[in-house]
Amino acid sequence: MRNNHNYCVIMSGGVGSRFWPFSKEGKPKQFLDFFGTGRSLLQSTFDRFKQIVPAENIYIVTNDAYAEMTKKQLPELKDNQLLLEPIRRNTAPAIAYASFRINAIDPNANIVVAPSDHLIMNTDEFVADIQKGLDFVNSNPVLLTLGIKPSRPETGYGYIQVNEEETGGIHKVKAFTEKPNLELAKKFVDSGEFVWNSGIFLWNVNTILDAFKKYLPDINQKFSEGKEVFNTPDEKKFVDASFPFCPNISIDYGILEKADNVYVNISNFGWSDLGTWGALHEISDKDGESNASLHCKSLFVESNDNVVAMSEDKLVVLQGLDGYIVAESDNVLMICKKSEEQRIKHFVTDVKFRYGDEYV
């Protein structure tokens, strides 16, 4: 039986610039169907959480610019289930906004916060872990995150160091470490003490509001000024006026790295945050030479370890390329070494500067 005091907040305001030009500001990656399943990443995330919490208890935090796209992809949402940011301010202000809204509706709420653009391979295991986590935070005043056993020394993820003591697979967190260099990542994986930070969080609404009060008093103060307007017709006007004054800070830096009541459930449900072309390549179907194609037909000649992504069903012929990303969307084609994909954000900045917004 689903608990009506359980709520879900899906974070869907990102631009997805690391997947440019396949993902553009006008249609970021969470709105794309990466694997030809007929459902975008956002729709798939919503489908998963509908199995855990009542659909009317699911809220999408996104940017004003993506309101119509979100409603089109999720027509069952009511307008009041969209929490619209007037400006991007990272995850802490977005989570504060959602927490104040949900608290106005249900001061006993348990909340799971999840990104909109992750890939989960084993839905049954995922549902079981989220349910277990919601039950845990319902009876314990803790901030819970889901940690993933690392399969490789990945430099693109944050890491969580865990204590050996556990309660039903849930460990107290020793420390958070943001994306390490390769040498450090190898040490983390070899030590067996670290898991990847999935970016999926669970807590009771009172626990997270207490944490904002303690660790991010500026944000707490700003939203507390309008405490009476949440879940009323005046909410949007208040948020539009207040949001720009919030610091641009993530929930990880702002609260989780400082708090002493952070716990982690070590999970194994086939997770990828699809944060990089490399991560996408790793989980995609590949030919015998480790080449992957998305949304297109491909002919690879004397080529290996490439990923090709097209916006429509096109034919791509590649000869003599090893370890490249070939990505196209409408009026842009990008060919970039997979090993240097961290430079894509710089390409986007340069393109914007030289040719304007039309191409980003």
Side-chain angles (χ1 to χ4, degrees):
M1 179 68 187
R2 289 183 303 182
N3 182 343
N4 287 338
H5 289 298
N6 288 343
Y7 290 76
C8 173
V9 175
I10 298 174
M11 311 291 285
S12 184
V15 182
S17 58
R18 283 183 291 183
F19 279 102
W20 182 84
F22 194 62
S23 162
K24 288 185 173 179
E25 201 158 322
K27 195 169 187 183
K29 68 171 178 170
Q30 62 267 31
F31 297 104
L32 301 176
D33 173 10
F34 268 76
F35 301 101
T37 62
R39 300 291 277 172
S40 70
L41 295 174
L42 171 61
Q43 289 169 319
S44 299
T45 302
F46 185 78
D47 294 345
R48 276 194 298 276
F49 282 109
K50 266 199 311 189
Q51 298 178 47
I52 303 166
V53 306
E56 62 271 19
N57 288 8
I58 300 176
Y59 291 86
I60 314 286
V61 182
T62 190
N63 194 272
D64 273 328
Y66 303 140
E68 290 311 312
M69 210 180 304
T70 304
K71 284 195 265 192
K72 193 173 176 186
Q73 289 210 350
L74 299 173
E76 63 204 282
L77 284 182
K78 297 189 176 76
D79 284 353
N80 71 347
Q81 289 174 265
L82 279 187
L83 305 185
L84 300 174
E85 308 166 317
I87 187 170
R88 288 187 183 89
R89 277 291 180 267
N90 216 317
T91 54
I95 289 169
Y97 175 14
S99 303
F100 272 81
R101 158 69 80 84
I102 290 170
N103 186 55
I105 297 165
D106 182 354
N108 298 310
N110 305 304
I111 304 171
V112 51
V113 177
S116 57
D117 52 5
H118 287 186
L119 183 75
I120 307 292
M121 302 292 210
N122 187 335
T123 301
D124 290 346
E125 204 158 320
F126 176 80
V127 167
D129 273 354
I130 297 292
Q131 195 57 65
K132 172 184 166 185
L134 286 166
D135 292 344
F136 189 73
V137 299
N138 183 51
S139 48
N140 297 280
V142 303
L143 306 169
L144 180 66
T145 180
L146 297 189
I148 310 295
K149 275 189 181 166
S151 56
R152 60 186 185 279
E154 171 64 57
T155 58
Y157 297 157
Y159 285 73
I160 299 169
Q161 187 178 20
V162 297
N163 265 335
E164 279 182 32
E165 299 164 37
E166 61 163 315
T167 312
I170 294 177
H171 300 249
K172 199 165 195 306
V173 168
K174 266 191 195 174
F176 279 81
T177 305
E178 263 309 294
K179 299 163 185 170
N181 59 33
L182 187 58
E183 194 181 334
L184 202 51
K186 281 178 180 165
K187 285 179 181 167
F188 286 173
V189 175
D190 290 345
S191 76
E193 286 182 36
F194 289 80
V195 291
W196 287 334
N197 179 5
S198 71
I200 300 169
F201 308 113
L202 304 99
W203 38 59
N204 183 271
V205 69
N206 297 296
T207 312
I208 190 63
L209 289 176
D210 285 346
F212 272 105
K213 227 174 278 180
K214 190 171 179 182
Y215 302 109
L216 289 172
D218 293 3
I219 293 178
N220 179 67
Q221 175 62 32
K222 190 46 73 180
F223 283 112
S224 293
E225 287 167 11
K227 202 172 180 184
E228 305 308 315
V229 306
F230 283 95
N231 204 37
T232 75
D234 295 326
E235 177 185 289
K236 177 66 174 149
K237 187 180 171 188
F238 169 76
V239 169
D240 284 354
S242 306
F243 216 83
F245 293 100
C246 290
N248 187 340
I249 188 168
S250 73
I251 198 77
D252 305 67
Y253 281 126
I255 291 180
L256 295 168
E257 291 186 10
K258 300 171 186 167
D260 57 7
N261 60 334
V262 185
Y263 285 72
V264 60
N265 182 51
I266 299 177
S267 301
N268 190 22
F269 41 68
W271 169 88
S272 171
D273 84 337
L274 288 183
T276 63
W277 283 106
L280 181 61
H281 177 262
E282 185 168 308
I283 57 165
S284 299
D285 291 335
K286 294 178 275 291
D287 66 12
E289 304 300 323
S290 197
N291 296 300
S293 305
L294 297 170
H295 293 265
C296 61
K297 298 180 178 75
S298 299
L299 180 62
F300 294 100
V301 182
E302 297 145 17
S303 298
N304 65 71
D305 197 31
N306 298 295
V307 57
V308 174
M310 299 284 135
S311 53
E312 291 167 24
D313 193 25
K314 294 179 179 170
L315 171 65
V316 180
V317 180
L318 237 62
Q319 185 271 328
L321 283 189
D322 296 337
Y324 273 81
I325 302 158
V326 180
E328 174 267 0
S329 177
D330 304 324
N331 52 2
V332 178
L333 170 67
M334 182 197 70
I335 301 167
C336 167
K337 283 183 181 173
K338 198 147 62 71
S339 61
E340 296 188 30
E341 67 166 303
Q342 72 279 1
R343 295 174 64 185
I344 292 174
K345 282 193 169 186
H346 304 299
F347 301 160
V348 174
T349 305
D350 291 348
V351 166
K352 202 167 184 173
F353 177 73
R354 191 174 294 194
Y355 297 110
D357 293 343
E358 183 188 347
Y359 299 97
V360 298

